[in-house]
Amino acid sequence: MSTTPLPYTRLEAETEVAILSVLRACYLTKNVQDTLVNQDTLIKKDKSPVTVADLSAQSLISLHLQAHFPKDPIIGEEDTSELRVNDGLREKVVKLVSEGFDREEGWGKGKTFSEEEVLKAIDAGSAEGGNKGRFWTIVIDGTSGFIRHQQYAVCLALIVDGEVELGVIGCPNLGPEPAKIGEEIIPNGKGVLMVAVKGQGSYSRPLNSENYTKLSLPPTPPSSNPLTFLESVESGHSAHSIQARIGELLEVKRPSLRMDSQAKYACLGRGEGGVYLRIPTKYAGGKEYNEKIWDHASGNLLIHESGGICTDMNGKPLNFGVGRNLNQNEGIVAAGKDIHAKAVEAVKKAIGELGQQQNKA
């Protein structure tokens, strides 16, 4: 099979390990998704679901990072609090992690790990981050989509002094063909992996091939592919009603492209949609929520390195150096260079109109 290698000249070792670990985690999670049963899912204290796939993949990726970059802290979404009191789930996770090392040639091929090694690797993701030094952030993003057998993403990013330097996004259910407009995105392919290194561009490949293609996000959507929004499936994750008004202001004529996870960033990075919006649900009567850095680090870099712009809804760059949350930012607007400023202005106008309506009420 022919290959087209990556042309990166910095962070080569980190990129190689990141790609290997994300590939293995993609195959692990996809195997779980294809055979998922209710007993493989936990409900955490915050009422959000977590599956054996989330826990196993975080452990698998952490084991790679700890072996190659032992001094680097890790920020992960999951911990073992529920897992340590659930014998059946814990056994499945340990088994899945070792099975995950059977895929892909490279470090650790065929290696097995003890229960305590697997659990410690999950709990290694407890770092707090900050604006000094290196750390990694891991997420298996889109658990709800995963449970529905739809889109999800395995994401890994390296952050140095508060800046995202390397990002990898694996989308096991996304294919090379464009996603369908106006419906939830069902699995439509055998998977893609995207990688970006700061200052050196972004690339995409199939999961099963090392043929990398350079990504380019058009400054504005072409006439052959008119503007539409990329949004979360669930209104609990983004204020769809406000986003509908923003669409009117931008004269969007097509239904939104809705899917879970950073698969939205992946689609935008290769030129689908035109604008990714994530407006806080508090503007639609929902609860206050601080975005997590793991949900946006890889996607943010992918968009910038594909030629686009990713900011919060006020046009401020996302700040990944203030801990585990994006505490200094509100909402997300990602788009091509020429459409981004228009999108931010439309957001401000829509939010302003909402404030006027509330003052009159």
Side-chain angles (χ1 to χ4, degrees):
M1 182 179 294
S2 63
T3 62
T4 305
L6 288 168
Y8 296 145
T9 57
R10 57 186 294 267
L11 298 176
E12 295 102 318
E14 288 86 348
T15 301
E16 181 180 352
V17 172
I19 289 173
L20 176 62
S21 63
V22 169
L23 278 173
R24 285 173 168 167
C26 283
Y27 287 121
L28 183 160
T29 53
K30 180 59 177 169
N31 180 58
V32 173
Q33 188 184 46
D34 289 343
T35 59
L36 188 68
V37 295
N38 289 338
Q39 290 84 350
D40 292 337
T41 302
L42 289 168
I43 302 298
K44 296 186 286 187
K45 292 179 181 178
D46 64 0
K47 306 303 181 185
S48 62
V50 59
T51 72
V52 291
D54 297 278
L55 295 158
S56 303
Q58 181 169 314
S59 180
L60 182 148
I61 294 173
S62 291
L63 288 165
H64 284 77
L65 298 178
Q66 289 176 319
H68 292 85
F69 313 108
K71 295 182 179 179
D72 289 355
I74 300 170
I75 291 180
E77 182 176 19
E78 312 301 345
D79 61 44
T80 62
S81 54
E82 286 92 355
L83 195 59
R84 288 183 182 273
V85 296
N86 189 318
D87 294 345
L89 224 59
R90 189 170 64 252
E91 290 174 6
K92 283 189 176 182
V93 168
V94 174
K95 183 173 182 286
L96 284 167
V97 170
S98 293
E99 289 177 349
F101 278 88
D102 289 336
R103 295 299 301 256
E104 298 294 313
E105 293 298 326
W107 175 82
K109 179 73 182 286
K111 191 173 175 62
T112 59
F113 297 87
S114 70
E115 178 179 292
E116 194 55 30
E117 286 175 321
V118 169
L119 297 179
K120 282 185 176 179
I122 297 172
D123 284 334
S126 61
E128 290 300 321
N131 61 4
K132 299 295 182 183
R134 289 168 44 123
F135 64 89
W136 298 82
T137 182
I138 305 167
V139 67
I140 290 68
D141 192 17
T143 302
S144 295
F146 179 88
I147 292 171
R148 293 196 308 271
H149 293 265
Q150 296 179 349
Q151 294 299 335
Y152 70 99
V154 178
C155 307
L156 176 62
L158 173 64
I159 298 174
V160 183
D161 296 335
E163 298 287 332
V164 186
E165 295 286 336
L166 163 65
V168 179
I169 301 177
C171 301
N173 289 333
L174 201 63
E177 66 273 23
K180 296 178 182 178
I181 301 295
E183 62 183 51
E184 294 183 13
I185 305 307
I186 61 173
N188 68 343
K190 294 184 179 180
V192 297
L193 180 141
M194 297 185 181
V195 56
V197 170
K198 186 177 179 182
Q200 302 216 335
S202 59
Y203 294 81
S204 176
R205 56 165 279 185
L207 287 186
N208 61 359
S209 167
E210 293 183 45
N211 282 314
Y212 288 91
T213 302
K214 187 170 177 56
L215 294 172
S216 179
L217 172 55
T220 191
S223 57
S224 59
N225 186 25
L227 176 65
T228 191
F229 290 155
L230 289 146
E231 299 178 330
S232 299
V233 172
E234 299 177 23
S235 59
H237 293 167
S238 190
H240 287 172
S241 57
I242 296 296
Q243 291 174 187
R245 174 57 182 150
I246 297 167
E248 293 175 359
L249 294 169
L250 289 173
E251 299 182 344
V252 174
K253 305 298 184 184
R254 299 200 295 174
S256 294
L257 188 59
R258 290 181 175 166
M259 68 186 82
D260 295 280
S261 82
Q262 290 183 65
K264 294 184 286 293
Y265 283 117
C267 286
L268 179 61
R270 64 186 187 182
E272 294 176 44
V275 177
Y276 166 31
L277 283 180
R278 192 172 175 98
I279 307 303
T281 55
K282 70 177 185 180
Y283 292 107
K287 295 180 180 179
E288 190 84 30
Y289 175 75
N290 286 322
E291 297 286 350
K292 311 300 183 185
I293 64 170
W294 51 73
D295 286 332
H296 301 284
S298 298
N300 171 76
L301 182 63
L302 182 78
I303 297 308
H304 283 287
E305 292 301 317
S306 299
I309 300 174
C310 181
T311 68
D312 71 6
M313 68 184 217
N314 299 305
K316 292 170 52 181
L318 302 185
N319 188 342
F320 294 95
V322 290
R324 294 169 69 93
N325 298 332
L326 292 171
N327 290 324
Q328 295 186 2
N329 298 108
E330 186 177 31
I332 305 289
V333 178
K337 287 191 296 186
D338 291 349
I339 195 69
H340 182 270
K342 297 176 184 177
V344 170
E345 286 306 309
V347 170
K348 292 179 179 178
K349 184 171 183 179
I351 297 297
E353 291 174 352
L354 176 65
Q356 293 174 358
Q357 294 170 5
Q358 291 173 338
N359 290 335
K360 291 178 180 179

